[in-house]
Amino acid sequence: MEQYSKRLDGVFQALADPTRRAVLGQLNKGPASISELAKPFGMALPSFMKHIRLLEESGWIQTRKVGRVRTCSLEKNAFMAANAWLSEQRTLWEARFDRLDALVEGRNDE
């Protein structure tokens, strides 16, 4: 459970930054080189690479180097982990809201 929790922490930590979310949005259109991804942000390449490393370490992207060009692409595993956790939470909260509705309306569904 602890390893699952650490992995999930990394998945959501990567989403906490607007630059990283924008990179994921750009990669939704298809693989791109790091220089293409960095262009709209106007930051030094070493600073941008910190975002790329965090996205890669958390499982959101995969990078591949061919010659001098490093290309990034999306990975499905981080999406699946985030979606699984969110689905569990949704199920839990929907059940709680259903019980609250029943209580407010004076029903006894249990």
Side-chain angles (χ1 to χ4, degrees):
M1 181 69 174
E2 186 178 319
Q3 185 165 351
Y4 175 75
S5 181
K6 278 186 176 181
R7 172 141 166 69
L8 201 55
D9 289 349
V11 165
F12 284 108
Q13 179 185 2
L15 294 177
D17 184 86
T19 299
R20 293 189 290 267
R21 289 192 306 269
V23 167
L24 292 175
Q26 182 65 29
L27 289 173
N28 237 354
K29 300 172 188 171
S33 70
I34 289 181
S35 59
E36 291 171 330
L37 293 169
K39 208 176 286 185
F41 299 104
M43 66 176 69
L45 196 56
S47 297
F48 186 74
M49 286 303 296
K50 289 179 183 179
H51 292 289
I52 295 298
R53 275 192 291 280
L54 200 147
L55 286 169
E56 189 170 27
E57 289 168 2
S58 64
W60 282 106
I61 66 170
Q62 178 182 33
T63 64
R64 193 171 316 117
K65 188 172 184 179
V66 177
R68 295 181 58 171
V69 177
R70 184 171 292 278
T71 302
C72 301
S73 58
L74 286 177
E75 282 292 309
K76 294 180 183 177
N77 293 338
F79 287 101
M80 291 176 6
N83 189 46
W85 185 84
L86 290 169
S87 291
E88 289 172 12
Q89 297 306 306
R90 184 179 305 112
T91 300
L92 175 76
W93 282 99
E94 284 174 351
R96 289 178 178 175
F97 286 131
D98 288 346
R99 287 194 305 272
L100 179 61
D101 285 344
L103 180 68
V104 168
E105 295 174 3
R107 294 179 295 163
N108 190 2
D109 292 345
E110 294 181 31

